[in-house]
């Protein structure tokens, strides 16, 4: 059995804890590897080494750091096929979807090539007599990234790119359910010219996360994962005086107005609801048609599209729409929630409960489900299911639909499908959600904008990637300088204005 260790000081090292987690092949249900779970001592040593390496890296000029990012882009593109294959085999998503996962991470690395521009700082000439004032952005030192299973390439790249481009060293703690791609990315960073020790990938579970939170050298923590863990890490990390941003779960609503193009809306819902087996934080999991007629027509259009979906392994060819979910536990959780939906009175219009795939009976496949007549008090509405399950909540008016999205505890993304500009504009202005799509079902902002939810979908002030990432991973220092060859003011005990 393959044992996956850690990436420390520029090479793979075996774990010493004697503790391991199973890494599954979700397509077959087999354990394909064991990943080492780090101890506090292993984590602390990796941090100490990272702190030493960071000194020279932080002093490296930003254009040289940008060049490492540029080389990394080329190397990831070179290894795209290999990375996608490993990603699909551990995660379960299809190869085209795995390439999308890598691509959206790569775009953030492309953005980070612009580190010199993004780190330029500010300057005021002659802020007072003979006085200049300037601000610079300096790296924090050693920072940590803790990432989820569902984007094993994209989210580690979102963390490491900006952190490293800003001159920090990073401890990356990827999901123990999909650890291989982050390790491959670390090896590519070395090949791209990143000095040893500047990026350490430490595999682990709660023990290593707690070790990160307790380590006094680590200045900042960027987390992505489920809301309860996000809240835990935010509370404990900030109490320890760290800078922390935590992105959590989601329940993304898509509102379908009576004037919407219903074919377009149905296609969008199928892609956004069932792509990656629903294991996306930006998946649409709630459809809100406005008016009974819209709802009836929408369901009529959705059912044949959903019944046509092809579920299968990533090796099954280009017509596979989505693969298995990540673990048997994830599958059980999804099916349990589907049962509660039925028990609590929702109408199960497409029932995927008996789905099995011939030849892959032990794989973690879940058939597609569509619920109608879901109400806000039901568990399937309140909880994040993170599976191929779309719930339809019928609203009688735009205001009622808007209120649903606003009252939900999550606020990651939301979409509206309409041809009416006034309604779309009103929705974008009023809804209390971080990322909005107008006739776009998965409004994931591009690398040069920022990504982040509201309400219980995110804790902390700044978003991921884009300019916010460069703010998160740097500290501002402001310098006031005077070279007064001819100015003699004498001593003053007053708190003076510069005029
Ligand atoms: P998760 O919360 O189970 O795990 C995330 C990370 O936290 C992993 O590295 C894991 O090892 C660690 N962890 C797990 N349990 C822990 C504990 N008790 N104490 C400390 N650390 C712990 O999340 P997941 O299942 O890997 O990912 C899916 C979740 O992530 C979904 O809720 C999804 O919506 C969310 N997500 C959010 C975004 C976003 O940007 N908002 C993006 C992707 C995924």
């Amino acid at each position: 059995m393959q044992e996956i260790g850690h990436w420390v000081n520029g090479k793979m090292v075996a774990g010493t804890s004697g503790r391991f987690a199973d890494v599954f092949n979700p397509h077959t249900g087999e354990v394909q590897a064991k990943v080492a779970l780090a101890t506090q001592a292993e984590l602390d040593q990796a941090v100490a080494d990272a702190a030493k390496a960071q000194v020279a890296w932080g002093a490296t000029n930003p254009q040289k750091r940008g060049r490492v990012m540029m080389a990394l882009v080329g190397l990831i593109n070179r290894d795209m096929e290999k990375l996608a294959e490993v990603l699909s085999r551990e995660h379960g998503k299809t190869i085209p979807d795995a390439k999308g996962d890598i691509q959206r991470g790569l775009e953030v690395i492309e953005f980070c090539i612009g580190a010199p521009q993004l780190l330029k700082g500010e300057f005021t000439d002659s802020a007072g007599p003979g006085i200049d004032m300037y601000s610079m952005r300096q790296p924090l030192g050693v920072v940590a990234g803790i990432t989820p299973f569902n984007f094993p390439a994209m989210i580690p790249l979102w963390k490491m790119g900006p952190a490293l481009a800003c001159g920090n060293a990073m401890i990356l703690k990827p999901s123990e359910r999909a650890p291989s791609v982050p390790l491959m990315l670390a090896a590519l960073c070395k090949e791209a010219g990143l000095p040893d020790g500047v990026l350490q990938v430490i595999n682990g579970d709660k023990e290593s996360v707690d070790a990160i939170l307790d380590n006094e050298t680590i200045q900042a923590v960027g987390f992505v994962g489920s809301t309860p863990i996000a809240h835990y890490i935010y509370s404990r990390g900030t109490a320890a005086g760290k800078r922390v941003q935590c992105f959590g779960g989601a329940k993304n609503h898509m509102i379908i107005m009576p004037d919407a193009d219903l074919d377009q809306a149905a296609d969008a819902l199928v892609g956004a609801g069932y792509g990656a087996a629903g294991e996306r934080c930006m998946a649409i999991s709630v459809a809100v048609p406005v008016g009974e007629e819209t709802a009836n027509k929408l369901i009529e259009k959705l059912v044949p599209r959903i019944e046509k979906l092809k579920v299968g392994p990533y090796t099954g060819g280009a017509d596979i729409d989505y693969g298995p979910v990540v673990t048997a536990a994830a599958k059980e959780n999804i099916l349990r929630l589907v049962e509660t939906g039925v028990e609590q009175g929702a109408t199960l219009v497409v029932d995927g409960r008996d789905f099995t795939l011939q030849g892959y009976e032990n794989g973690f496949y879940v058939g597609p489900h569509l619920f109608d007549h879901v109400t806000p008090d039901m568990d399937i509405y309140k909880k994040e299911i993170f599976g191929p399950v779309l719930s339809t909540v019928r609203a009688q008016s735009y205001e009622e639909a808007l209120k649903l999205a606003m009252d939900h505890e999550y606020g990651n993304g939301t979409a509206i499908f309409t041809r009416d500009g006034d309604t779309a504009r009103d929705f974008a202005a009023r809804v209390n959600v971080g990322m909005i799509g107008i006739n776009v079902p998965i409004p994931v902002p591009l690398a040069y904008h920022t990504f982040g939810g509201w309400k219980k979908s995110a804790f902390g002030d700044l978003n991921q990637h884009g300019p916010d990432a460069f703010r998160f991973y740097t500290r501002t220092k402001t310098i006031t300088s005077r070279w007064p060859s001819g100015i003699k003011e004498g001593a003053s005990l007053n708190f003076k204005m510069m005029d």
Side-chain angles (χ1 to χ4, degrees):
M1 175 75 57
Q2 186 202 353
E3 280 184 14
I4 300 170
H6 316 292
W7 179 268
V8 180
N9 299 338
K11 57 181 189 301
M12 285 298 302
V13 299
T16 59
S17 69
R19 289 199 311 125
F20 293 91
D22 289 339
V23 179
F24 290 94
N25 176 337
H27 304 277
T28 61
E30 288 160 356
V31 176
Q32 58 172 319
K34 289 194 172 293
V35 61
L37 303 173
T39 59
Q40 175 153 15
E42 285 173 295
L43 187 280
D44 287 346
Q45 186 57 51
V47 174
D49 293 343
K52 283 188 206 135
Q54 189 273 332
V55 176
W57 178 244
T60 301
N61 69 47
Q63 58 272 34
K64 282 192 182 153
R65 297 200 299 256
R67 274 178 218 135
V68 172
M69 295 292 134
M70 190 145 64
L72 183 59
V73 168
L75 295 170
I76 293 173
N77 275 319
R78 181 196 71 189
D79 286 359
M80 180 65 84
E81 297 295 330
K82 206 167 27 168
L83 288 162
E85 206 272 338
V86 173
L87 198 158
S88 293
R89 189 156 25 93
E90 271 183 9
H91 175 282
K93 58 180 81 174
T94 63
I95 292 282
D97 205 32
K99 287 184 181 169
D101 182 331
I102 299 162
Q103 177 62 30
R104 291 309 290 265
L106 192 60
E107 288 166 11
V108 169
I109 304 298
E110 287 169 350
F111 178 73
C112 291
I113 296 171
Q117 166 69 11
L118 290 154
L119 294 171
K120 254 184 356 200
E122 296 162 343
F123 185 85
T124 302
D125 170 48
S126 298
I131 293 176
D132 298 329
M133 198 174 282
Y134 58 100
S135 303
M136 51 182 164
R137 295 192 168 280
Q138 295 193 321
L140 302 175
V142 182
V143 300
I146 303 168
T147 56
F149 81 86
N150 69 321
F151 281 101
M154 182 180 85
I155 297 182
L157 288 167
W158 286 9
K159 298 291 169 214
M160 67 170 83
L164 300 176
C166 288
N168 299 287
M170 167 158 268
I171 306 294
L172 178 68
K173 207 302 285 170
S175 169
E176 61 276 41
R177 285 178 269 172
S180 293
V181 168
L183 291 166
M184 291 166 79
L185 293 172
L188 292 181
C189 285
K190 180 183 168 97
E191 200 180 337
L194 189 74
D196 292 350
V198 173
L199 174 65
Q200 317 271 50
V201 182
I202 301 297
N203 282 306
D205 56 2
K206 179 171 168 50
E207 186 174 334
S208 42
V209 169
D210 287 347
I212 287 172
L213 298 172
D214 290 345
N215 185 293
E216 289 182 3
T217 302
I218 293 178
Q219 299 293 306
V221 179
F223 169 87
V224 181
S226 59
T227 286
I229 311 297
H231 189 248
Y232 166 72
I233 290 174
Y234 186 74
S235 311
R236 190 161 158 179
T238 50
K242 299 187 193 307
R243 185 180 289 193
V244 187
Q245 57 173 198
C246 293
F247 300 93
K251 196 79 180 174
N252 304 319
H253 292 51
M254 180 168 133
I255 291 165
I256 303 100
M257 295 300 293
D259 66 351
D261 177 332
L262 290 186
D263 285 304
Q264 192 189 49
D267 285 338
L269 275 170
V270 171
Y274 302 94
E279 289 178 324
R280 290 182 184 138
C281 67
M282 289 295 275
I284 294 288
S285 48
V286 183
V288 188
V290 173
E292 288 300 317
E293 199 187 329
T294 314
N296 293 338
K297 282 191 198 153
L298 184 71
I299 295 285
E300 221 170 83
K301 287 183 186 292
L302 279 173
V303 170
R305 283 171 166 83
I306 296 168
E307 286 176 343
K308 263 210 315 253
L309 288 174
K310 275 206 145 182
V311 183
Y314 74 101
T315 46
D319 61 341
I320 300 294
D321 290 305
Y322 73 82
V325 298
V326 68
T327 54
K331 177 175 172 170
E332 264 167 47
N333 184 48
I334 294 162
L335 292 177
R336 192 162 27 80
L337 277 161
V338 168
E339 287 307 328
T340 68
V342 174
E343 283 158 23
Q344 292 172 6
T347 312
L348 190 52
V349 184
V350 179
D351 185 351
R353 284 176 294 181
D354 291 333
F355 181 86
T356 50
L357 193 65
Q358 217 185 348
Y360 294 88
E361 286 78 5
N362 295 323
F364 311 137
Y365 298 94
V366 180
H369 296 77
L370 174 66
F371 277 110
D372 195 1
H373 302 291
V374 174
T375 53
D377 54 323
M378 293 178 183
D379 287 348
I380 53 168
Y381 180 74
K382 289 190 281 198
K383 295 189 177 169
E384 183 182 40
I385 302 176
F386 226 52
V389 183
L390 180 64
S391 295
T392 310
V393 183
R394 294 174 175 231
Q396 298 314 315
S397 66
Y398 163 69
E399 287 296 332
E400 190 187 330
L402 173 66
K403 189 170 177 330
L404 277 168
M406 300 214 21
D407 287 351
H408 205 285
E409 66 172 347
Y410 291 119
N412 212 36
T414 186
I416 187 163
F417 274 60
T418 179
R419 289 188 172 97
D420 184 72
D422 282 341
T423 310
R425 190 168 184 278
D426 183 80
F427 183 72
R430 287 167 66 198
V431 73
N432 54 359
V433 171
M435 293 169 281
I436 318 295
I438 297 172
N439 299 314
V440 171
I442 308 188
V444 176
L446 286 173
Y448 39 91
H449 288 266
T450 70
F451 180 110
W454 287 18
K455 298 186 278 184
K456 291 214 172 127
S457 293
F459 305 90
D461 301 323
L462 293 167
N463 278 353
Q464 309 190 80
H465 67 63
D468 268 12
F470 277 72
R471 295 186 188 111
F472 183 75
Y473 289 114
T474 53
R475 262 187 204 111
T476 305
K477 186 180 273 177
T478 306
I479 295 102
T480 306
S481 75
R482 181 164 64 175
W483 299 98
S485 48
I487 301 167
K488 302 273 179 292
E489 285 185 330
S492 167
L493 274 68
N494 296 329
F495 191 65
K496 282 179 60 179
M497 302 288 289
M498 283 189 193
D499 53 15

